[in-house]
């Protein structure tokens, strides 16, 4: 048990729709990172938030956006969904935003776009 | 640029056999961190180990052991006396200390391990 939770567990959307995924970090962890994991692949870094500010972004278009709140919760929003957005979305929390900080992952949200 | 290669896509072994999962990495930094995660069918990545680039001592934790060799840029993971519960996908990951804004942590593509009863 990492203490990181995500909701919902599964989600089905249609192309063009918008979706919001939620994550609750471990208490005291100032950093949350979001990853997209396509089937058969390793997780790919989407972006990271440190103390409610974006602190790095991977190679994802602007229709992927996020928010981090003071109560250790965060959101990943995806607009104009495409079929290729179907994946497992993982959030991970860590104490800080350094390379040495171990990230603790939630169980993920499986998004299917039809 | 940093890169992690897990050349073994899928491995099957019979229970109680030993198995080694390979991980080779590339980085420009002298200070970096290597991780192994386990992903069971439930989907959650479970942290197994973190190793910094200045500590080349091998580590053993129960049936798990890790062999870090900077000379070959490898960080291999061995499971001794494997059990069915070890069946999962295992990911090796690399994080650079300077934390480039766009390159937080890089994961390999994973090795799917099947332990056959």
């Amino acid at each position: 048990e990492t203490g990181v939770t995500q909701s919902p567990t599964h989600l089905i959307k249609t192309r063009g729709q918008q979706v919001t995924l939620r994550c609750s970090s471990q208490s005291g962890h100032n950093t949350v990172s979001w990853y997209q994991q396509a089937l058969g692949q390793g997780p790919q870094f989407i972006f990271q938030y440190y103390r409610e500010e974006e602190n790095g972004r991977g190679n994802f278009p602007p229709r992927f956006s996020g928010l981090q709140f003071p109560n250790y919760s965060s959101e990943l929003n995806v607009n104009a969904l495409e079929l290729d957005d179907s994946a497992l979305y993982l959030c991970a929390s860590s104490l800080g935003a350094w390379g040495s900080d171990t990230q603790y992952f939630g169980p993920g949200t499986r998004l299917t776009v039809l | 640029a940093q890169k992690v290669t897990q050349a073994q896509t899928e491995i099957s072994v019979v229970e109680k056999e030993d198995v080694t999962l390979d991980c080779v990495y590339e980085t420009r930094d002298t200070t970096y961190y290597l991780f192994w995660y386990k992903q069971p069918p439930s989907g959650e990545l479970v942290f197994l180990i973190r190793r910094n680039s200045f500590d080349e001592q091998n580590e053993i934790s129960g049936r798990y052991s890790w062999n870090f060799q900077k000379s070959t840029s490898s960080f291999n993971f061995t499971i001794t006396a494997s059990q069915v519960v070890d069946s999962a996908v295992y990911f090796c990951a690399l994080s650079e200390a300077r934390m480039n804004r766009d390159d937080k942590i890089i994961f390999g593509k994973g090795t799917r391990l099947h332990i056959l009863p």
Side-chain angles (χ1 to χ4, degrees), chain A:
Chain A
E1 284 289 329
T2 63
V4 181
T5 59
Q6 291 186 244
S7 63
T9 309
H10 294 87
L11 203 50
I12 299 175
K13 290 285 189 178
T14 55
R15 201 168 44 181
Q17 283 189 314
Q18 178 265 342
V19 69
T20 297
L21 310 182
R22 293 181 173 82
C23 172
S24 181
S25 300
Q26 274 194 32
S27 181
H29 280 192
N30 295 308
T31 306
V32 64
S33 304
W34 285 90
Y35 295 85
Q36 181 193 67
Q37 187 180 13
L39 209 58
Q41 300 294 314
Q44 275 205 296
F45 173 70
I46 302 174
F47 46 58
Q48 182 182 82
Y49 279 79
Y50 175 65
R51 293 187 170 173
E52 301 160 52
E53 299 276 338
E54 188 178 289
N55 185 48
R57 187 178 186 90
N59 190 24
F60 282 82
R63 60 189 184 84
F64 285 79
S65 63
L67 284 171
Q68 186 186 26
F69 303 102
N71 65 351
Y72 303 112
S73 67
S74 59
E75 290 180 355
L76 163 65
N77 298 290
V78 188
N79 293 323
L81 283 167
E82 300 177 1
L83 297 179
D84 283 349
D85 296 333
S86 294
L88 180 68
Y89 288 85
L90 297 159
C91 78
S93 77
S94 55
L95 201 55
W98 299 104
S100 57
D101 287 295
T102 299
Q103 298 192 26
Y104 296 93
F105 284 81
T109 293
R110 187 162 297 281
L111 173 64
T112 302
V113 181
L114 303 175

Side-chain angles (χ1 to χ4, degrees), chain B residues 47-101:
Chain B
F47 167 72
L48 296 177
I49 190 172
R50 180 188 75 191
R51 176 53 50 89
N52 76 58
S53 52
F54 296 109
D55 182 3
E56 286 195 71
Q57 277 198 325
N58 290 334
E59 180 154 342
I60 298 174
S61 175
R63 296 183 297 105
Y64 295 170
S65 62
W66 290 269
N67 184 348
F68 175 33
Q69 293 199 346
K70 283 176 80 169
S71 60
T72 55
S73 297
S74 65
F75 186 42
N76 297 337
F77 172 33
T78 297
I79 302 175
T80 304
S82 59
Q83 299 176 2
V84 172
V85 293
D86 296 327
S87 297
V89 182
Y90 290 86
F91 291 97
C92 179
L94 164 69
S95 179
E96 292 175 344
R98 63 187 174 83
M99 292 300 282
N100 182 297
R101 279 185 60 88

